[in-house]
mmCIF file of all heavy atoms in Angstrom:
data_model
loop_
_atom_site.group_PDB
_atom_site.id
_atom_site.type_symbol
_atom_site.label_atom_id
_atom_site.label_comp_id
_atom_site.label_asym_id
_atom_site.label_seq_id
_atom_site.Cartn_x
_atom_site.Cartn_y
_atom_site.Cartn_z
ATOM 1 N N VAL A 1109 -0.170 -5.621 -10.842
ATOM 2 C CA VAL A 1109 -0.791 -4.606 -10.050
ATOM 3 C C VAL A 1109 0.277 -3.589 -9.686
ATOM 4 O O VAL A 1109 1.075 -3.817 -8.800
ATOM 5 C CB VAL A 1109 -1.451 -5.228 -8.792
ATOM 6 C CG1 VAL A 1109 -2.056 -4.146 -7.916
ATOM 7 C CG2 VAL A 1109 -2.478 -6.271 -9.217
ATOM 8 N N GLY A 1123 1.939 -2.218 0.669
ATOM 9 C CA GLY A 1123 1.365 -3.453 1.154
ATOM 10 C C GLY A 1123 2.227 -4.646 0.763
ATOM 11 O O GLY A 1123 3.404 -4.462 0.377
ATOM 12 N N GLU A 1124 1.648 -5.803 0.851
ATOM 13 C CA GLU A 1124 2.440 -6.998 0.608
ATOM 14 C C GLU A 1124 2.373 -7.525 -0.804
ATOM 15 O O GLU A 1124 3.396 -7.497 -1.528
ATOM 16 C CB GLU A 1124 1.870 -8.109 1.543
ATOM 17 C CG GLU A 1124 2.534 -9.434 1.471
ATOM 18 C CD GLU A 1124 1.924 -10.417 2.438
ATOM 19 O OE1 GLU A 1124 1.724 -10.066 3.624
ATOM 20 O OE2 GLU A 1124 1.575 -11.514 2.026
ATOM 21 N N ALA A 1125 1.205 -7.894 -1.277
ATOM 22 C CA ALA A 1125 1.065 -8.449 -2.625
ATOM 23 C C ALA A 1125 -0.431 -8.426 -2.977
ATOM 24 O O ALA A 1125 -1.285 -8.442 -2.136
ATOM 25 C CB ALA A 1125 1.568 -9.900 -2.613
ATOM 26 N N PRO A 1126 -0.711 -8.451 -4.296
ATOM 27 C CA PRO A 1126 -2.096 -8.473 -4.700
ATOM 28 C C PRO A 1126 -2.780 -9.772 -4.283
ATOM 29 O O PRO A 1126 -2.146 -10.833 -4.179
ATOM 30 C CB PRO A 1126 -1.985 -8.448 -6.253
ATOM 31 C CG PRO A 1126 -0.633 -8.035 -6.545
ATOM 32 C CD PRO A 1126 0.239 -8.438 -5.430
ATOM 33 N N GLY A 1127 -4.087 -9.667 -3.985
ATOM 34 C CA GLY A 1127 -4.928 -10.834 -3.788
ATOM 35 C C GLY A 1127 -5.755 -11.042 -4.985
ATOM 36 O O GLY A 1127 -5.535 -10.476 -6.070
ATOM 37 N N GLU A 1130 -7.406 -7.862 -6.495
ATOM 38 C CA GLU A 1130 -6.395 -6.945 -7.096
ATOM 39 C C GLU A 1130 -5.909 -7.574 -8.434
ATOM 40 O O GLU A 1130 -5.708 -6.881 -9.431
ATOM 41 C CB GLU A 1130 -5.240 -6.784 -6.147
ATOM 42 C CG GLU A 1130 -5.572 -5.964 -4.917
ATOM 43 C CD GLU A 1130 -6.382 -6.676 -3.870
ATOM 44 O OE1 GLU A 1130 -6.299 -7.970 -3.843
ATOM 45 O OE2 GLU A 1130 -7.072 -6.067 -3.044
ATOM 46 N N LEU A 1135 -5.615 -3.228 -9.649
ATOM 47 C CA LEU A 1135 -5.393 -2.173 -8.689
ATOM 48 C C LEU A 1135 -5.197 -2.745 -7.291
ATOM 49 O O LEU A 1135 -5.812 -3.706 -6.911
ATOM 50 C CB LEU A 1135 -6.630 -1.238 -8.649
ATOM 51 C CG LEU A 1135 -6.876 -0.399 -9.920
ATOM 52 C CD1 LEU A 1135 -8.243 0.207 -9.862
ATOM 53 C CD2 LEU A 1135 -5.799 0.670 -10.018
ATOM 54 N N PRO A 1136 -4.278 -2.110 -6.522
ATOM 55 C CA PRO A 1136 -3.987 -2.620 -5.195
ATOM 56 C C PRO A 1136 -5.106 -2.264 -4.194
ATOM 57 O O PRO A 1136 -5.770 -1.238 -4.316
ATOM 58 C CB PRO A 1136 -2.683 -1.939 -4.782
ATOM 59 C CG PRO A 1136 -2.678 -0.653 -5.591
ATOM 60 C CD PRO A 1136 -3.397 -0.965 -6.871
ATOM 61 N N PHE A 1137 -5.237 -3.133 -3.205
ATOM 62 C CA PHE A 1137 -6.144 -2.882 -2.082
ATOM 63 C C PHE A 1137 -7.571 -2.481 -2.520
ATOM 64 O O PHE A 1137 -8.067 -1.436 -2.202
ATOM 65 C CB PHE A 1137 -5.554 -1.816 -1.165
ATOM 66 C CG PHE A 1137 -4.450 -2.335 -0.255
ATOM 67 C CD1 PHE A 1137 -3.138 -2.085 -0.516
ATOM 68 C CD2 PHE A 1137 -4.790 -3.082 0.890
ATOM 69 C CE1 PHE A 1137 -2.163 -2.576 0.307
ATOM 70 C CE2 PHE A 1137 -3.816 -3.583 1.714
ATOM 71 C CZ PHE A 1137 -2.469 -3.312 1.415
ATOM 72 N N ALA A 1141 -9.874 -5.686 2.773
ATOM 73 C CA ALA A 1141 -8.705 -5.038 3.428
ATOM 74 C C ALA A 1141 -8.486 -3.636 2.873
ATOM 75 O O ALA A 1141 -8.148 -2.689 3.600
ATOM 76 C CB ALA A 1141 -7.457 -5.877 3.327
ATOM 77 N N ASN A 1164 2.576 -2.288 -3.767
ATOM 78 C CA ASN A 1164 2.893 -3.482 -2.963
ATOM 79 C C ASN A 1164 4.345 -3.888 -3.162
ATOM 80 O O ASN A 1164 4.991 -3.538 -4.155
ATOM 81 C CB ASN A 1164 2.026 -4.649 -3.414
ATOM 82 C CG ASN A 1164 0.592 -4.526 -2.921
ATOM 83 O OD1 ASN A 1164 0.329 -4.328 -1.744
ATOM 84 N ND2 ASN A 1164 -0.357 -4.642 -3.836
ATOM 85 N N HIS A 1238 -1.059 -5.008 9.036
ATOM 86 C CA HIS A 1238 -1.786 -5.057 7.761
ATOM 87 C C HIS A 1238 -3.287 -4.942 8.056
ATOM 88 O O HIS A 1238 -3.781 -5.553 9.014
ATOM 89 C CB HIS A 1238 -1.468 -6.349 7.051
ATOM 90 C CG HIS A 1238 -1.884 -6.360 5.610
ATOM 91 N ND1 HIS A 1238 -3.188 -6.468 5.220
ATOM 92 C CD2 HIS A 1238 -1.124 -6.269 4.508
ATOM 93 C CE1 HIS A 1238 -3.241 -6.456 3.916
ATOM 94 N NE2 HIS A 1238 -1.981 -6.348 3.439
HETATM 95 N N1 LIG B 78 -3.134 -6.971 0.519
HETATM 96 C C1 LIG B 78 -2.028 -6.324 0.153
HETATM 97 O O1 LIG B 78 -1.013 -6.310 0.840
HETATM 98 N N2 LIG B 78 -2.045 -5.656 -1.012
HETATM 99 C C2 LIG B 78 -3.119 -5.626 -1.774
HETATM 100 O O2 LIG B 78 -3.064 -4.978 -2.818
HETATM 101 C C3 LIG B 78 -4.271 -6.288 -1.356
HETATM 102 C C4 LIG B 78 -4.276 -6.933 -0.194
#
Side-chain angles (χ1 to χ4, degrees):
V1109 178
E1124 180 180 312
E1130 292 76 22
L1135 291 168
F1137 281 103
N1164 285 309
H1238 194 286

